[in-house]
Amino acid sequence: MQNAAIAALGLNWCYLAFEVRPEELRAALAGARAMQFVGLNLTVPHKSLAMDMVDALDESARTWRAVNTLRVEGRDRNRAWLPIHQFTHEPPDKVRLQGFNTDADAIVRSLREDAGLELRGKRVLLLGAGGAGGVAALKVASEDVAELFLVNRTPSKAASIAAEIRRRHPNVRIQLGYPRGEVDLAMNATSLGLAPNDPLPLDEQQFSLRQARTVYDMIYRPAETPLLRAAKAAGCRTANGLGMLLYQGAKALEIWTGRPAPVEVMRQALKKNIYG
Ligand code: NAP
């Protein structure tokens, strides 16, 4: 999706994938800085490791405590930090890496645009408290939901996220475990559903999909997970995580270029790559 967008914007850039071992991340980032890459994306487990390895953190990275996007910046004569690709004539006197997080906003944008859901005042059940689930829980809470229910295989992880939410958003009612009655949204942030024979990510003895108006699965491959299939059969509105992937990438591209991302070009490229 990034290369399709880069072509659509007429930029002479190229987006490449590198496999980096966590113990080599610091060296890889130093290399990207030295080679003056325009920017980088990071995926697990590098998102949290990079927090201590960058020169500056945007507020988004500080808020969500994870870096998924890096911009290489140069310092100009006036001591202002600018994207490195803007230095076409005179080289910068210093180069730095600034870390951003585009994942959290992408969750809310995908819920709004792909599932037609505004979170304010809503009751939400979130399944999973790993990297993606933790960011989703904090972001959903920051959108002034009325009530948030957290369920995770390892309850202590959900408990520590709940404690953080109570500190940051005292107005949100947060509970561990399944809700009674209806919820506006049930969201899967576990990895259950990636493999074809995975069980559903929820305990059907404790929660029926008929209690959920909308079901969102962060998984996008397969396009229809067993959870989404069951949710459709129960009459729920559904969406998968493709939009999350798309919008975090679109925002990253905007951070690098300073220009609006060609979102539809990116969506089509992503669909073609993932679903054929
Ligand atoms: P992670 O940090 O490894 O967390 C995995 C989560 O799944 C944890 O809550 C874990 O529970 C739970 N889990 C794993 N196996 C389980 C099992 N057998 N039974 C019950 N729960 C189980 O991974 P992540 O990065 O948060 O990713 C989570 C999901 O989100 C993945 O499916 C990933 O593909 C998806 N994702 C999508 C996007 C997107 O752009 N659409 C972005 C990021 C992630 P424990 O805490 O008990 O281990």
Side-chain angles (χ1 to χ4, degrees), residues 12-238:
N12 185 18
W13 294 2
C14 183
Y15 188 93
L16 299 166
F18 298 91
E19 197 155 331
V20 176
R21 291 201 303 272
E23 59 274 24
E24 308 252 56
L25 181 61
R26 196 178 287 279
L29 295 182
R33 188 196 291 112
M35 289 188 280
Q36 301 193 3
F37 282 21
V38 168
L40 296 163
N41 282 132
L42 303 176
T43 188
V44 282
H46 301 93
K47 292 183 188 187
S48 46
L49 294 175
M51 287 288 287
D52 298 329
M53 298 181 186
V54 297
D55 309 304
L57 286 171
D58 177 66
E59 196 189 331
S60 57
R62 283 199 300 271
T63 304
W64 311 114
R65 295 192 189 145
V67 169
N68 79 319
T69 300
L70 290 161
R71 183 170 66 195
V72 180
E73 299 173 342
R75 200 169 66 176
D76 72 4
R77 278 183 191 188
N78 303 320
R79 302 179 70 78
W81 291 100
L82 304 172
I84 199 75
H85 61 86
Q86 292 184 10
F87 290 79
T88 44
H89 300 304
E90 209 177 321
D93 74 341
K94 258 191 158 185
V95 178
R96 74 173 188 183
L97 285 177
Q98 180 165 198
F100 300 78
N101 184 300
T102 69
D103 285 329
D105 286 353
I107 296 170
V108 172
R109 182 169 175 190
S110 182
L111 285 171
R112 185 182 301 126
E113 295 189 20
D114 307 324
L117 192 86
E118 292 291 343
L119 286 165
R120 192 182 176 84
K122 300 294 194 298
R123 299 181 90 217
V124 177
L125 165 62
L126 183 64
L127 306 160
V135 170
L138 287 164
K139 180 65 185 175
V140 164
S142 79
E143 294 289 303
D144 290 331
V145 292
E147 243 178 322
L148 179 56
F149 299 86
L150 293 184
V151 171
N152 193 47
R153 175 179 61 179
T154 311
S156 59
K157 283 202 219 165
S160 77
I161 291 168
E164 176 74 30
I165 291 174
R166 286 189 191 104
R167 263 196 303 278
R168 289 196 199 187
H169 307 287
N171 293 340
V172 174
R173 272 180 290 164
I174 175 136
Q175 292 189 44
L176 300 177
Y178 290 96
R180 291 217 185 108
E182 289 202 341
V183 292
D184 300 284
L185 170 68
M187 180 186 257
N188 178 36
T190 77
S191 30
L192 285 178
L194 286 172
N197 296 324
D198 278 349
L200 293 186
L202 51 83
D203 180 350
E204 290 176 282
Q205 307 287 336
Q206 299 198 62
F207 185 81
S208 158
L209 286 169
R210 282 192 293 276
Q211 290 171 248
R213 288 204 185 94
T214 298
V215 173
Y216 187 97
D217 200 330
M218 284 195 183
I219 294 171
Y220 50 81
R221 186 169 31 207
E224 188 175 77
T225 58
L227 174 68
L228 292 182
R229 201 172 314 126
K232 267 187 196 161
C236 313
R237 186 166 188 169
T238 60

Side-chain angles (χ1 to χ4, degrees), residues 251-273:
K251 180 69 192 174
L253 188 72
E254 290 175 354
I255 287 169
W256 299 322
T257 61
R259 295 165 61 182
V263 175
E264 286 316 310
V265 169
M266 297 175 83
R267 191 193 307 274
Q268 293 317 319
L270 200 52
K271 280 188 172 168
K272 195 169 155 210
N273 257 274

